[in-house]
Amino acid sequence: MRGNSKTGHQPVRASTAAFVGTMIEWYDFYIYATAAALVFGKLFFPSATGFYGTLAAFGTFAVGFFARPLGGAIFGHIGDRIGRKKSLVITLLMMGTVTVLIGLLPTYASIGIWAPILLVLLRIVQGVAVGGEWGGAVLMAGEHSPDKSKRTFFASFAQLGSPAGLILSMLMFKLVTGLDDAAFLSWGWRVPFLFSAVLLAVGFVIRLSVNESPDFLEEKQARAAKQKQPQHTKPERAPLAQVLTGAPKLLAMAVGANVLGIAGFYFTSTFMIAYTTQYVGLNRAVILDCLLVVSIMQFFITPLAAYIASRVGNLRFLAFTALVSIFTPYAMFNLVDMGSLSSITLGIGVAVLFMGAYYAVIAGFVSDSFPTAIRYTGISMAYQLSGAIFGGLTPMLGTVLAENFKGQWWPLALLFSGISLLSLVSVLLLGAYGQRRVQFHLKGQQA
């Protein structure tokens, strides 16, 4: 048994480890997204210029999302059967290593077609690692909560990694975008990727200091006791099989509930870079400055939103923020098209204000919907399927709409509204489902 002096610090350690881990996760993904918007088209797809080059670069961005569900299945199984901590240590090492390798990758000019091939392969591995990272980080923070009523607040520290990762990525790119184009395209874009090695070392040390999840240890003991019973002869199915066959409706609702938090952010933080630089005519430094300010705002919104939600109720809070998000893109695009730093920051800030508040709370809300035995797999698959279907495709779809409706932003605003509406409906259904069930029973798992 762990001593009280040690366990008393675990909620703080677990929350810190969740924050640092997801910060590294999002830093790695944001620097890739930023590089895809600014340079990857030129360096890895030089024959596809302009719109097609950007589309090809965003295609490699989407590939990482398609690999995420595989990571969710693999590391969800490890997290539900072997341990949350072991799963998270592996994913952290994979993410950091792959990101550094991308920073060392030769371009098309050096090795030809192998450059984009290797880029896609590394992106797939990165996607697999990220597929297992988020769910475990949320659970390690939430399941170490000293009080079940505070789980959403503790889980929000994993969500805090998103704006922190974006802030760090924007700062790194600000350091290198001041270079002339030749230096930036030659070596400047590599610096943010190589810096990931420093973050990896820090995150690894912090994550090793966290004990295994108390909920997992209790579930492990209960499973072991059940298997010792004489009447227990039926082998237990894998967590993924239990989720897909025993909880398909719950999984579908959880997928939809995550859409605004995933697709919405890649709309504002990734697609808007390409939109403002290519269709509004802004300098890349301007939009990066804007996103930096907005990210700082989101960083402070996250814990505040989690606290407010704990007071007014998670479901009520999520429904309100999703509803308002349906209407925010119309203000956003009107302000962005004015072209000044202040108007762009205000426009994107309005959208991120409500979207960021929603994102802060949704992780804890969804995780509470799944039983402990399949919780890691359940929330990982929900989040990563949502990312694969909606997150990876959103920048590509936005680019296609911007190209086909030049000078008109209303199709893009409708896309954002659709994302928000889907999450609103899903979270209401998920809330109604949670109120109806007294206890969750998995098909075929009754003794």
Side-chain angles (χ1 to χ4, degrees):
M1 293 291 290
R2 301 186 299 266
N4 289 337
S5 62
K6 203 171 182 181
T7 57
H9 298 291
Q10 284 301 304
V12 175
R13 289 184 183 178
S15 298
T16 303
F19 164 66
V20 173
T22 53
M23 179 185 70
I24 296 171
E25 168 196 340
W26 287 108
Y27 171 81
D28 290 350
F29 250 59
Y30 280 134
I31 58 173
Y32 190 100
T34 305
L38 295 178
V39 298
F40 279 175
K42 300 173 184 176
L43 297 177
F44 292 92
F45 305 94
S47 59
T49 57
F51 161 69
Y52 294 103
T54 302
L55 198 61
F58 278 151
T60 67
F61 177 72
V63 164
F65 279 95
F66 297 143
R68 281 181 166 202
L70 176 60
I74 294 171
F75 292 106
H77 184 92
I78 295 172
D80 282 328
R81 286 291 182 266
I82 301 175
R84 321 290 206 215
K85 181 176 178 177
K86 290 182 177 64
S87 180
L88 286 173
V89 169
I90 297 170
T91 58
L92 186 68
L93 288 172
M94 286 178 63
M95 284 191 311
T97 302
V98 167
T99 304
V100 171
L101 289 176
I102 292 175
L104 297 172
L105 195 63
T107 62
Y108 190 94
S110 299
I111 59 173
I113 192 63
W114 283 106
I117 291 175
L118 289 174
L119 180 65
V120 170
L121 290 176
L122 289 174
R123 179 66 173 161
I124 290 172
V125 176
Q126 187 185 51
V128 170
V130 171
E133 166 67 27
W134 178 85
V138 168
L139 293 189
M140 284 293 276
E143 290 180 349
H144 271 95
S145 170
D147 185 344
K148 189 174 181 180
S149 65
K150 297 178 180 178
R151 279 193 174 186
T152 296
F153 178 77
F154 276 85
S156 72
F157 281 87
Q159 305 297 74
L160 197 62
S162 175
L166 183 54
I167 291 168
L168 195 55
S169 69
M170 291 297 107
L171 287 173
M172 290 303 297
F173 265 97
K174 271 184 66 65
L175 291 176
V176 295
T177 49
L179 300 169
D180 61 76
D181 284 346
F184 180 65
L185 292 174
S186 175
W187 59 268
W189 68 272
R190 298 180 184 275
V191 174
F193 288 87
L194 300 179
F195 180 70
S196 186
V198 178
L199 300 178
L200 172 62
V202 174
F204 186 73
V205 172
I206 294 175
R207 189 151 280 181
L208 285 179
S209 71
V210 182
N211 294 335
E212 183 55 86
S213 157
D215 284 23
F216 172 79
L217 293 176
E218 289 178 10
E219 178 64 29
K220 185 178 181 180
Q221 291 176 351
R223 189 185 304 120
K226 183 178 179 181
Q227 289 174 346
K228 290 179 181 179
Q229 296 175 1
Q231 69 271 25
H232 183 78
T233 57
K234 193 173 184 179
E236 191 173 23
R237 292 181 298 166
L240 180 61
Q242 295 184 48
V243 171
L244 295 179
T245 61
K249 292 181 180 178
L250 176 60
L251 178 62
M253 289 183 283
V255 167
N258 276 299
V259 171
L260 177 58
I262 299 173
F265 273 118
Y266 282 109
F267 188 102
T268 56
S269 65
T270 302
F271 166 70
M272 289 302 289
I273 295 177
Y275 174 77
T276 53
T277 55
Q278 295 183 25
Y279 297 97
V280 182
L282 294 179
N283 183 278
R284 66 188 177 213
V286 174
I287 185 60
L288 292 180
D289 285 342
C290 159
L291 290 176
L292 175 60
V293 173
V294 171
S295 300
I296 294 171
M297 178 193 74
Q298 186 200 340
F299 184 86
F300 291 103
I301 286 172
T302 300
L304 178 61
Y307 174 76
I308 295 173
S310 68
R311 307 291 294 181
V312 303
N314 293 334
L315 178 60
R316 184 179 300 175
F317 185 85
L318 288 168
F320 172 75
T321 50
L323 177 63
V324 176
S325 292
I326 295 174
F327 304 99
T328 55
Y330 304 94
M332 176 175 68
F333 278 104
N334 267 308
L335 289 165
V336 166
D337 277 3
M338 292 181 182
S340 67
L341 176 61
S342 58
S343 65
I344 296 169
T345 304
L346 180 60
I348 297 179
V350 167
V352 172
L353 173 64
F354 295 96
M355 183 176 59
Y358 179 94
Y359 182 73
V361 179
I362 193 61
F365 182 76
V366 170
S367 65
D368 278 347
S369 302
F370 288 91
T372 305
I374 61 168
R375 187 173 291 155
Y376 198 138
T377 301
I379 67 170
S380 293
M381 292 305 297
Y383 190 84
Q384 307 311 341
L385 284 172
S386 185
I389 299 169
F390 301 98
L393 294 177
T394 294
M396 293 181 67
L397 182 55
T399 301
V400 171
L401 289 174
E403 180 69 16
N404 285 280
F405 293 89
K406 288 182 178 178
Q408 302 180 63
W409 52 257
W410 63 265
L412 300 170
L414 287 176
L415 172 61
F416 193 96
S417 293
I419 289 169
S420 304
L421 179 60
L422 176 57
S423 281
L424 173 61
V425 172
S426 298
V427 81
L428 290 174
L429 290 173
L430 195 60
Y433 178 85
Q435 291 169 359
R436 286 199 308 268
R437 67 187 181 96
V438 178
Q439 186 178 8
F440 188 85
H441 289 284
L442 293 172
K443 297 178 182 177
Q445 292 302 305
Q446 298 175 347

